[in-house]
Amino acid sequence: MNLKEYINQSYYHSYAYSYPHKMAYRNFKKTLSLQEVWSEEKKRDVFLYLHLPFCEMRCGFCNLFTIANPKGNLQNEFLNALTRQVEAVKEELGNLHFANFAFGGGTPSYLSAEELQSVLSTLNSSLGLKTEVVNSAIEVSPKTITADKIQLLKEKGFVRVSMGVQSFIEEEVKAMGRPQKVEEVRRAIRDLKEAQFPLLNLDLIYGAENQTTESWQYTLDQMIEISPEEVFLYPLYIRPLTGLGLKERAWDDFRMKLYLQARDFLMSNGYEQITMRQFKKKNAPSFAHPGYLPQENAMLGLGVGARSYTKSLHYSSDYAVGRSSIKHIIENYNNTSKEEFKKVNYGIQLDLEEEKRRYFIKSFCEGTGLPIASYQAYFNSSVLEDFKLEIEEMHQLQLIDISTSYIQLNLKGRTLEDVIGPWLYSHSIKESIAQFDLV
């Protein structure tokens, strides 16, 4: 299917934040060791990601790897297993140098301040992570972010705190399956603003049932009054095996109308567009690490549900969406020994063509644009030849700008990222995703 047909089919295919999607992962025929996987990888300027698979509630729109309110000893056992995994990584990989650290989930602020302190201390003592030096980010929720946790994050030097607001109208967030009080949201925002983190990011979701252009504008007005350094706009997706997945509604044009309304409003109020979703205040500080390029540098994932990747191999724990399946995977993780954490048996091996395709897709969806000379140096190959047909098609539809040094999505192209990204998936990856047993 050509890109024009893909666009006509839907404006919202899926969010291509990484490639390949974990639904393309499978069990390896041969178990690999961490040493094997990382043997040829640079261990400098690595992205460290820690995934906490717990939240205080499971939102109706969520298909993240998480469960709400874990029962019994599940949480404590997870933290113990995480310590074993960190020790295994240290023994296998030795010294690593991190450019960025992100603590996501789930909701990391679900942990107590003492538990957060313990986790960060483990990363520091075993892996040498210094959050006050490395660009460190964390996700929190209005219900679970408290004064003592904010103080800890401030002391630890976190530069970016991200929180999901979704809407400032309670009826709308309730319709999304996220019952939260606006007063609770405002309290959390007030406390975070007072702490003066360099980058406060707030997320909004558009396309909810009963949402109107007027109610959406009210939420946008409230956001401008708060004036966070970053705003992310997420379209509401109907997710398989989630509460909202039981409803059917054709609302592509409605979502796009709300998106354009928000995009233009934010850009007229001092924000610049980085990607389809990300908007950043023009005067906000930048913490980009000079040695880190998301298309080229490795990522080490810790915690069940996290993905890791080197240049040619991506791996993770098993993947699922349904609560019972996720709980089973977490229990398996919790029972994993330190020696077993040194092994890799689930993921995907990328051949050269898939490595190039990943570089191509991430360059657009990360907002960096594609540096032509960097691609040439990395692959000893011309991107203009490797993706000649794709580039021609995007250019004909006026979705990209091409200079002597960069290929970038333009304003129209960024609006259609959720079409362009999935359209660029290889045929084999699309087939693997389609065949994945989603439980």
Side-chain angles (χ1 to χ4, degrees), residues 131-134 136 152-160 197:
T131 51
E132 66 275 12
V133 176
V134 172
S136 299
L152 173 63
L153 298 177
K154 189 68 177 177
E155 290 172 355
K156 293 296 183 181
F158 278 77
V159 298
R160 184 178 186 271
F197 290 96

Side-chain angles (χ1 to χ4, degrees), residues 12-46:
Y12 297 96
H13 284 260
S14 66
Y15 180 16
Y17 64 92
S18 187
Y19 181 83
H21 192 279
K22 281 199 284 187
M23 287 169 61
Y25 291 13
R26 298 293 188 272
N27 288 312
F28 292 137
K29 294 180 179 178
K30 175 190 173 185
T31 298
L32 304 172
S33 71
L34 280 177
Q35 285 186 354
E36 286 179 89
V37 173
W38 286 79
S39 61
E40 298 182 6
E41 190 69 29
K42 292 187 300 181
K43 296 177 184 176
R44 291 194 57 80
D45 301 324
V46 174

Side-chain angles (χ1 to χ4, degrees), residues 163-438:
M163 186 170 72
V165 172
Q166 321 318 351
S167 170
F168 283 98
I169 298 175
E170 286 182 15
E171 291 78 8
E172 289 184 356
V173 288
K174 185 177 180 180
M176 297 179 204
R178 183 187 175 110
Q180 67 183 12
K181 299 295 184 183
V182 170
E183 181 53 39
E184 193 170 56
V185 173
R186 292 191 184 278
R187 185 273 309 163
I189 292 173
R190 183 174 61 250
D191 291 347
L192 290 169
K193 291 277 286 184
E194 288 178 358
Q196 297 183 330
F197 290 96
L199 286 173
L200 173 62
N201 171 75
L202 299 178
D203 296 339
L204 298 178
I205 290 182
Y206 58 94
E209 193 172 6
N210 300 324
Q211 194 172 36
T212 65
T213 55
E214 292 77 18
S215 68
W216 181 227
Q217 187 60 49
Y218 172 80
T219 286
L220 295 172
D221 288 338
Q222 299 303 301
M223 187 64 76
I224 290 298
E225 187 175 323
I226 294 164
S227 191
E229 284 71 31
E230 289 183 342
V231 177
F232 269 65
L233 303 176
Y234 288 97
L236 180 64
Y237 271 101
I238 289 180
R239 307 292 193 179
L241 302 185
T242 62
L244 297 179
L246 301 177
K247 301 177 182 179
E248 292 184 5
R249 180 182 176 191
W251 78 125
D252 255 21
D253 290 340
F254 174 60
R255 283 185 290 176
M256 182 55 69
K257 182 179 181 180
L258 295 179
Y259 172 73
L260 295 175
Q261 176 185 347
R263 182 200 68 181
D264 295 346
F265 182 73
L266 289 172
M267 292 179 70
S268 66
N269 280 277
Y271 289 82
E272 59 180 337
Q273 186 178 30
I274 308 300
T275 67
M276 176 185 179
R277 287 162 170 76
Q278 183 184 8
F279 294 80
K280 189 171 182 177
K281 286 176 74 170
K282 292 179 180 179
N283 61 351
S286 173
F287 294 94
H289 190 281
Y292 178 78
L293 193 65
Q295 302 94 318
E296 298 184 11
N297 292 68
M299 182 164 83
L300 173 65
L302 299 172
V304 61
R307 79 173 76 216
S308 301
Y309 49 74
T310 60
K311 182 178 181 181
S312 61
L313 191 137
H314 295 198
Y315 63 94
S316 72
S317 58
D318 289 353
Y319 177 70
V321 174
R323 178 183 170 88
S324 61
S325 297
I326 291 175
K327 183 181 178 184
H328 178 68
I329 293 171
I330 294 173
E331 290 171 341
N332 286 341
Y333 174 89
N334 291 352
N335 292 320
T336 302
S337 68
K338 185 168 71 171
E339 290 306 309
E340 288 173 322
F341 274 127
K342 296 178 181 181
K343 301 173 183 177
V344 173
N345 53 31
Y346 185 78
I348 187 169
Q349 182 82 47
L350 276 63
D351 61 21
L352 180 59
E353 294 307 309
E354 289 292 7
E355 289 178 27
K356 290 179 178 180
R357 189 163 294 275
R358 176 180 179 274
Y359 196 111
F360 193 72
I361 292 171
K362 282 185 72 70
S363 294
F364 298 131
C365 296
E366 292 275 355
T368 61
L370 195 150
I372 295 174
S374 295
Y375 181 99
Q376 176 73 41
Y378 197 63
F379 292 111
N380 193 28
S381 181
S382 168
V383 68
L384 299 175
E385 291 298 322
D386 291 343
F387 292 94
K388 181 179 179 180
L389 297 178
E390 291 89 342
I391 291 171
E392 286 179 352
E393 195 162 348
M394 288 191 288
H395 193 252
Q396 288 172 0
L397 294 174
Q398 300 180 334
L399 301 177
I400 55 174
D401 295 328
I402 306 175
S403 68
T404 55
S405 56
Y406 270 88
I407 305 173
Q408 293 179 308
L409 294 178
N410 54 30
L411 185 65
K412 181 181 177 183
R414 286 193 293 271
T415 299
L416 296 173
E417 272 183 31
D418 283 9
V419 185
I420 295 171
W423 174 71
L424 288 170
Y425 291 3
S426 70
H427 178 70
S428 62
I429 293 298
K430 289 178 181 177
E431 277 195 337
S432 292
I433 291 172
Q435 293 167 4
F436 185 80
D437 186 12
L438 195 62

Side-chain angles (χ1 to χ4, degrees), residues 49-69:
Y49 175 67
L50 173 58
H51 187 88
L52 182 83
F54 307 124
C55 294
E56 79 274 8
M57 61 179 169
R58 183 72 185 260
C59 304
F61 51 83
C62 178
N63 77 335
L64 298 176
F65 192 91
T66 184
I67 60 173
N69 296 311

